[in-house]
Amino acid sequence: MPRKCIVASGVLMENGKVLLIKHRLLGVYIYPGGHVEPSETPTEAVIREFEEETGLRVEPIGHIHGVRDKDVVERPLPLLILEELVRYPDEVHVHFDLIYLVRRVGGVQTEGYWVDVDDVDKIETYPNVRWVIKIAHDTIYRLRKV
């Protein structure tokens, strides 16, 4: 039975381009992200993973309903949550991937490749990564028009 993992990923779009990394085990281009550690929240994980993989500091953005309570912290909603079967060279995982839109808040880019959204069909990646990038682009574009 495959290991089940919660992961968090971030899609950073700037000027019609998306920042991708080449995954070292899978050999394809994906948006930065990774496993949520036992001591962190998904939003903390996406911030940590993004900085580890690109050098950039980001913050998740997403809808907030305004829930307020002394013992409750509302977090931005992910853009999507996908259940993904991931075939690593030595094992298979089921990832429950919380995919956030993110914005840059600092850091210096040390890794990663900027890809024009119109060119995502030309890169070596998975179909779901292409879909997520297009959904993210459409969502950001729609948000800017509001």
Side-chain angles (χ1 to χ4, degrees):
M1 177 172 290
R3 181 175 149 201
K4 295 178 182 172
C5 311
I6 297 176
V7 300
S9 304
V11 180
L12 176 62
M13 297 251 173
E14 294 180 357
N15 303 314
K17 295 184 178 189
V18 61
L19 183 58
L20 302 176
I21 59 160
K22 188 156 189 180
H23 195 281
R24 61 182 170 77
L25 293 176
L26 301 172
V28 297
Y29 292 94
I30 59 173
Y31 27 80
H35 292 89
V36 176
E37 299 297 331
S39 64
E40 65 187 356
T41 67
T43 53
E44 291 168 335
V46 74
I47 292 166
R48 175 185 53 77
E49 288 282 353
F50 214 97
E51 188 166 12
E52 287 176 1
E53 294 177 357
T54 69
L56 296 177
R57 287 190 313 275
V58 297
E59 67 180 5
I61 54 175
H63 184 75
I64 297 284
H65 293 280
V67 174
R68 289 185 176 80
D69 189 325
K70 68 180 182 87
D71 295 326
V72 175
V73 176
E74 186 179 14
R75 302 290 184 199
L77 287 174
L79 174 68
L80 294 162
I81 300 174
L82 298 180
E83 182 178 334
E84 305 158 334
L85 186 64
V86 180
R87 291 176 170 81
Y88 290 110
D90 297 332
E91 62 183 322
V92 175
H93 288 187
V94 174
H95 283 179
F96 293 89
D97 194 356
L98 286 75
I99 304 167
Y100 293 91
L101 289 175
V102 296
R103 71 172 147 235
R104 183 193 312 221
V105 295
V108 175
Q109 184 180 340
T110 56
E111 299 282 335
Y113 308 90
W114 288 97
V115 177
D116 192 292
V117 172
D118 293 332
D119 293 334
V120 296
D121 290 329
K122 300 174 188 171
I123 62 171
E124 187 177 357
T125 192
Y126 300 113
N128 66 296
V129 171
R130 290 186 180 97
W131 298 328
V132 168
I133 291 168
K134 291 174 184 178
I135 291 167
H137 180 265
D138 291 349
T139 300
I140 289 171
Y141 178 73
R142 188 175 64 247
L143 290 173
R144 287 185 181 150
K145 290 187 93 171
V146 174

